[in-house]
Amino acid sequence: MIEANAAWASGHYACDGDAALEVLLRSSRPRAEVPAADVPFLRALRTGPGRLS
């Protein structure tokens, strides 16, 4: 089973801190810098009432 939390909310427990930082940096880059291989994993931003910003 895979727990589908956002990378910055999952906690890194006892993992490699450098690897955890790489995940955070990769998951929060501007859209223009997302590599083609990662595009299928993007999701639309929520808009309207209840939007977190």
Side-chain angles (χ1 to χ4, degrees), residues 21-53:
L21 178 58
E22 181 59 32
V23 169
L24 291 171
L25 294 173
R26 189 171 181 156
S27 68
S28 60
R29 63 180 58 176
R31 171 63 180 93
E33 296 177 17
V34 174
D38 290 346
V39 170
F41 300 100
L42 296 178
R43 61 185 173 99
L45 293 175
R46 289 187 348 198
T47 60
R51 179 177 179 211
L52 302 173
S53 55

Side-chain angles (χ1 to χ4, degrees), residues 7-17 19-21 24:
W8 53 87
S10 297
H12 57 78
Y13 303 103
C15 74
D16 177 343
L21 178 58
L24 291 171

